[in-house]
Amino acid sequence: MRKFSTKDLTLAAIVAAAYAALTMLLPGLSYGYAQLRVAEAFTVLPFLFPASAPGLVVGCLVANLLSPYAMLDVICGTAATALAAFLTMKMPNRWLAPLPPVVCNGVIIGAMIAWYEVGFTANFPAVFAIAGFGVAMGELVACYVLGGLLLKILPNVPYFKDMMAPKGLV
């Protein structure tokens, strides 16, 4: 395992700032049952750049401070992003790299929204299904469409070559 360099720290800081800013600039799309959090496209970056994972977590935490779900989203949303970033680093190819954010957010954020709205009542499963589906579909678009573009373009940028995980070239 290599050291976390100044270049890595800079990348993590830029990812954190970009994630938080993009989420806060588009609040109508970023929170709720059916969300298309455009910044979630960055959640594929740990596949290519493991050093971006801490930046994603910090950016998500900052963005979730403005969430209508308050501290619940700060905790659950940040945990979902941290888990997704870790799993994305472990994916064997770029086609599977967007899958962890879709699944983690669909399940964790779907459950969080359902619990916030109705608690653990008889309505929880129905609200969880609706919220989880809405969040997962938004993640699917952000991660597979926008994130897929990042996974295709970034390996061709010479500046990033030495920062990429070896599998990122596949």
Side-chain angles (χ1 to χ4, degrees):
M1 181 170 194
R2 68 183 185 84
K3 286 177 129 181
F4 200 75
S5 69
T6 305
K7 208 173 193 179
D8 293 334
L9 181 60
T10 304
L11 175 66
I14 290 169
V15 168
Y19 184 103
L22 194 53
T23 301
M24 290 187 280
L25 284 172
L26 301 168
L29 293 174
S30 298
Y31 307 101
Y33 280 80
Q35 56 181 258
L36 176 55
R37 191 177 275 199
V38 177
E40 285 291 307
F42 298 142
T43 61
V44 301
L45 292 179
F47 176 75
L48 297 174
F49 311 106
S52 67
L56 284 171
V57 174
V58 170
C60 181
L61 186 145
V62 170
N64 286 341
L65 289 172
L66 296 178
S67 170
Y69 303 104
M71 287 307 291
L72 188 60
D73 203 8
V74 171
I75 295 165
C76 295
T78 304
T81 297
L83 179 61
F86 174 76
L87 294 173
T88 298
M89 280 191 272
K90 305 295 182 191
M91 288 294 106
N93 62 57
R94 74 180 183 126
W95 303 108
L96 292 176
L99 189 59
V102 173
V103 173
C104 290
N105 282 286
V107 172
I108 296 170
I109 303 306
M112 179 204 75
I113 291 170
W115 183 81
Y116 183 84
E117 296 292 332
V118 298
F120 290 119
T121 63
N123 293 333
F124 179 85
V127 175
F128 171 59
I130 293 166
F133 181 77
V135 171
M137 289 302 103
E139 287 288 319
L140 198 68
V141 171
C143 295
Y144 272 97
V145 176
L146 301 174
L149 287 171
L150 290 174
L151 290 175
K152 185 158 179 66
I153 293 168
L154 291 177
N156 299 317
V157 178
Y159 178 79
F160 294 121
K161 292 282 187 198
D162 67 325
M163 296 169 60
M164 275 193 249
K167 68 179 176 206
L169 301 174
V170 176

